Amino acid sequence: MLKVVDHAVVQKNLTRIRDKNIDRVHFRQGIIEIGRLMGYEYANTLEKKPITVDTPLGTAEGIEIDAMKNIVVISILRAAIPLVEGISKVFKEAEYGVIGAWRSEEPPFNAKIEYIKLPDLENKIVIVADPMLATGHTLNAILNEIKNKGMPKKIVIFNVISAEPGIEIIFKNHPEVEIYTCSVDEKLNQDGYIVPGLGDVGDLCFGKPCL
Ligand code: URA
């Protein structure tokens, strides 16, 4: 299942961070805001239980969302850090994990996973935050690794932008996952970057690494 989050405030933020003249502070803020809004969008799909609450003046009908206590958010380093900051504003009770991964700079853009620290994933709703789904090789390797570590109830991917080649590879190898994204962009360039896309999200958020 692929869901494009087309809420006007998400799309306004996405438009803003696409601008090549944006500075680092506003780029990061835009990604954080998108993470928060995607979190709200996803939380609204979770099962709601009707409850009553005693107010100082009477009894009111309300809801509880038990599934919000059963969530693990996984940050794919380093680009997902601001996206997860936004998501964490919604899923306050979630557990968090990190995976350090990178892909080779030339075709076939093979992925390498270097660091993994995850809580128990058994029967949890696992949100994998990775801003850009480009070739899909890195995310595919990450999903294999996640499934080796435990059997989540559900795996949901949060992308800011996804491209067709990545979507295809993920649904071919992991047809059960759900992808939430803010845009499906046209294509990849020869360096494996999404076009029109955003550019290098890690560099835009944090600066170019020199080591
Ligand atoms: N990673 C990025 O940061 N940008 C892309 O376009 C693709 C992968």
Side-chain angles (χ1 to χ4, degrees):
M1 190 279 267
L2 179 111
K3 158 95 182 153
V4 177
V5 183
D6 58 2
H7 191 288
V9 182
V10 171
Q11 293 302 320
K12 171 179 145 61
N13 271 283
L14 177 59
T15 306
R16 194 150 158 261
I17 63 170
R18 281 188 192 272
D19 186 333
K20 67 178 184 188
N21 294 317
I22 193 165
D23 62 53
R24 193 173 305 142
V25 173
H26 290 97
F27 186 85
R28 260 200 321 255
Q29 273 176 0
I31 297 259
I32 293 168
E33 183 66 0
I34 286 172
R36 190 170 68 86
L37 294 163
M38 290 184 83
Y40 283 136
E41 185 89 13
Y42 184 65
N44 204 28
T45 70
L46 298 173
E47 194 179 340
K48 300 161 190 84
K49 183 173 78 184
I51 58 167
T52 56
V53 59
D54 292 331
T55 78
L57 299 176
T59 304
E61 306 292 329
I63 61 155
E64 177 55 279
I65 309 175
D66 289 333
M68 286 181 82
K69 301 183 188 109
N70 194 37
I71 287 191
V72 174
V73 182
I74 299 179
S75 184
I76 309 304
L77 301 177
R78 67 188 161 135
I81 292 172
L83 190 62
V84 168
E85 184 178 333
I87 296 167
S88 72
K89 292 179 195 293
V90 179
F91 297 110
K92 297 193 168 96
E93 296 153 287
E95 292 177 284
Y96 288 82
V98 292
I99 298 182
W102 57 274
R103 63 169 202 199
S104 63
E105 284 177 3
E106 282 162 19
F109 304 112
N110 288 328
K112 189 147 186 257
I113 294 178
E114 284 195 326
Y115 181 80
I116 302 188
K117 206 73 164 178
L118 298 175
D120 182 16
L121 304 180
E122 210 61 35
N123 220 21
K124 303 276 174 57
I125 297 172
V126 172
I127 297 175
V128 183
D130 196 2
M132 304 299 265
L133 175 55
T135 65
H137 293 155
T138 311
L139 193 55
N140 186 51
I142 285 165
L143 292 175
N144 289 337
E145 204 60 45
I146 287 172
K147 288 178 178 176
N148 280 339
K149 301 269 181 227
M151 191 41 73
K153 181 175 178 184
K154 191 185 264 195
I155 301 177
V156 187
I157 293 157
F158 277 20
N159 301 138
V160 175
I161 300 183
S162 319
E164 283 299 346
I167 295 169
E168 221 170 87
I169 204 174
I170 296 305
F171 282 146
K172 179 165 162 267
N173 296 322
H174 308 279
E176 78 287 1
V177 305
E178 296 179 7
I179 300 178
Y180 278 66
T181 188
C182 306
S183 177
V184 176
D185 274 13
E186 220 176 298
K187 56 185 183 202
L188 304 180
N189 68 11
Q190 71 280 8
D191 299 320
Y193 282 88
I194 298 176
V195 177
L198 294 170
D200 189 303
V201 173
D203 290 0
L204 285 157
C205 286
F206 302 115
K208 253 192 194 323
C210 71
L211 293 175

